[in-house]
Structures are given as C-alpha cells and as structure tokens.
C-alpha cells in the first residue's frame, strides 16, 4: 500500500471509502467526490459523517 499526497493523484475512482472522522474528511463536498470519480460517485461512509440530504446525487453507503 502506498500513501498519496493528494487523492487526485490516481483519480478517477470507482468508489471511495471514508473510514475516519477527521476534520479534513468532514469538509469534503459532494462536488469533490464527483470530480474524482469515474461516473456517479460511490462513497462508503463508515463513520456516518456525511448528511444524506447533501449527498443525494451520490451513492452514499453508511454503516
């Protein structure tokens, strides 16, 4: 596994997994996920940090 300086480095992605509640990740917007995704973004929100209403144009899975 290799850490990236920026998620844009290897974009586009089929899906993104957010597994922590760090402030940096809380600030990510639906537009950010659209920009780095192949098509309609799939975001797996393990900690439930994103509001479903704000992310209604994105496939949002929450645990």
């Amino acid at each position: 596994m290799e850490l990236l300086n920026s998620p844009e480095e290897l974009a586009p992605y089929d899906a993104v997994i957010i597994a922590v509640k760090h402030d940096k990740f809380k600030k990510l917007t639906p537009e950010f996920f659209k920009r780095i995704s192949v098509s309609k973004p799939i975001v797996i929100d393990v900690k439930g940090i994103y509001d479903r209403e704000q992310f209604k144009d994105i496939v949002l899975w929450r645990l």
Side-chain angles (χ1 to χ4, degrees):
M1 184 179 301
E2 184 178 329
L3 296 177
L4 304 175
N5 290 321
S6 170
E8 290 90 347
E9 286 180 37
L10 295 178
Y13 301 100
D14 294 319
V16 178
I17 300 170
I18 304 296
V20 295
K21 285 187 170 184
H22 299 288
D23 289 338
K24 186 173 185 175
F25 293 102
K26 289 180 182 178
K27 295 176 184 176
L28 297 177
T29 64
E31 290 72 29
F32 170 79
F33 291 109
K34 289 176 186 175
R35 195 169 56 250
I36 66 166
S37 296
V38 174
S39 57
K40 186 170 185 176
I42 298 172
V43 176
I44 302 165
D45 179 10
V46 175
K47 298 292 186 175
I49 63 174
Y50 299 119
D51 179 11
R52 287 188 188 277
E53 191 60 31
Q54 290 180 338
F55 281 70
K56 62 185 172 189
D57 295 335
I58 290 177
V59 177
L60 181 65
W61 296 348
R62 293 175 67 180
L63 298 177

